Amino acid sequence: MNKHEIFRFIDHTLLKQNAVWEQIREICQEGMDFGTASVCIPPSFVKQAAEFVGERLPICTVIGFPNGYQTTAVKVFEAAEAVQNGAAEIDMVINIGWAKAKSYDAILQEINAVKDACGEKRLKVIIETCLLTEEEKIALCDVVSRSRAEFIKTSTGFAGGGATLADIRLFKKYVTGDTKIKAAGGIKSVADAEAFLAAGAERLGSSSLLAMLRQEIKQ
C-alpha cells in the first residue's frame, strides 16, 4: 500500500484529559489537510469542531469513555447529544463487567440502544481487549456482529494496553457479516499501521500516526 493511502484509514485522535481547543483545532486542520477518515475528540469539543470543519471532515467522539460502566441511559443520552452537536461517528465502550459476567444479551441490548440514538451515524464498539480473555473476545466478536453497530474496536488506550496483531487476526476470524475492525492504541510506527491493515483492520485510531507518516513521506 502506498503510504499516502494510509491517511484515509486514520481516526486522527486526541483524547487526553488536558486537551484544549487550540489542540483540537490543530488536529482538525491536519485531518482536513491530509484526508483522514475522521478526527476522534472529546464530546465537549464536538459542536465547536463540527462548526470549524463544516462538511470537510467527519467528527468522531467517544461515549461511556473510558471505563464503560455508565448506565445504558447515560450512554444513550451521550450519543444522542453528540449526534445533535455534529458527530458523524460514535465510539462507545461496552460494560466490561458485563462481559466478565457473560451478560452478553445485556451488552447486545445496550449496543443497539446506543445505535438507535446514533441513527444513521456510524457506531464503533470498544471491547477493551487488554482486559479480556480470548474466550471473552470471541464471544464479543459474536455480540458485535449480531448488533447493528458497524465496527468492533480493540481499545480505549486508557486501560494499560492497546491493539495487537493477534487481536486483529482473532477479530478477522470471528466477526461475521459486514462488521468492520478498528485497531486503536499500540500503533507505534508506520510499519505497525501497515501490518494492522494487512491483518484486516479498516480503521486505525492513533494520536501519532499522522505525524509519523508525514515524516516517512518526506524522507
Side-chain angles (χ1 to χ4, degrees), residues 46-62:
V46 166
K47 185 175 177 61
Q48 198 171 3
E51 291 171 351
F52 176 68
V53 304
E55 299 295 323
R56 294 172 291 173
L57 178 71
I59 301 296
C60 174
T61 195
V62 288

Side-chain angles (χ1 to χ4, degrees), residues 80-200:
E81 183 181 48
V83 169
Q84 183 178 11
N85 285 340
E89 303 192 356
I90 300 293
D91 289 16
M92 69 167 285
V93 187
I94 66 161
N95 187 312
I96 309 299
W98 288 355
K100 293 294 180 183
K102 302 188 187 307
S103 299
Y104 296 123
D105 286 344
I107 295 172
L108 177 61
Q109 291 170 13
E110 179 171 271
I111 293 169
N112 284 336
V114 173
K115 178 59 182 174
D116 285 341
C118 294
E120 297 179 357
K121 308 303 182 183
R122 186 174 284 117
L123 176 63
K124 312 187 200 89
V125 179
I126 306 170
I127 68 168
E128 203 67 279
T129 48
C130 67
L131 301 180
L132 303 173
T133 66
E134 183 167 314
E135 178 186 2
E136 290 161 350
K137 294 172 195 176
I138 292 170
L140 288 165
C141 285
D142 174 66
V143 171
V144 179
S145 295
R146 289 189 290 117
S147 79
R148 299 198 306 277
E150 285 82 6
F151 275 80
I152 185 170
K153 176 180 171 182
T154 58
S155 319
T156 63
F158 283 74
T164 67
L165 284 173
D167 285 335
I168 299 306
R169 294 183 182 119
L170 187 77
F171 284 7
K172 189 66 176 175
K173 181 176 180 180
Y174 287 102
V175 297
T176 58
D178 296 326
T179 306
K180 297 177 175 62
I181 297 167
K182 177 176 174 178
I187 303 172
K188 304 299 185 185
S189 66
V190 175
D192 282 349
E194 292 172 325
F196 280 121
L197 292 171

Side-chain angles (χ1 to χ4, degrees), residues 7-13 27 31 35-41 57-61 88-89 91 124 182 203:
F7 287 114
R8 65 187 174 90
F9 294 97
I10 299 173
D11 287 344
H12 192 26
T13 302
I27 73 160
T36 62
S38 77
V39 288
C40 188
I41 61 174
L57 178 71
I59 301 296
C60 174
T61 195
E89 303 192 356
D91 289 16
K124 312 187 200 89
K182 177 176 174 178
R203 286 289 184 91

Side-chain angles (χ1 to χ4, degrees), residues 17-44:
Q17 296 94 325
N18 60 350
V20 297
W21 167 242
E22 288 73 20
Q23 294 169 302
I24 299 295
R25 183 177 58 197
E26 182 178 358
I27 73 160
C28 287
Q29 189 61 57
E30 290 173 342
M32 291 186 287
D33 290 344
F34 291 93
T36 62
S38 77
V39 288
C40 188
I41 61 174
S44 57

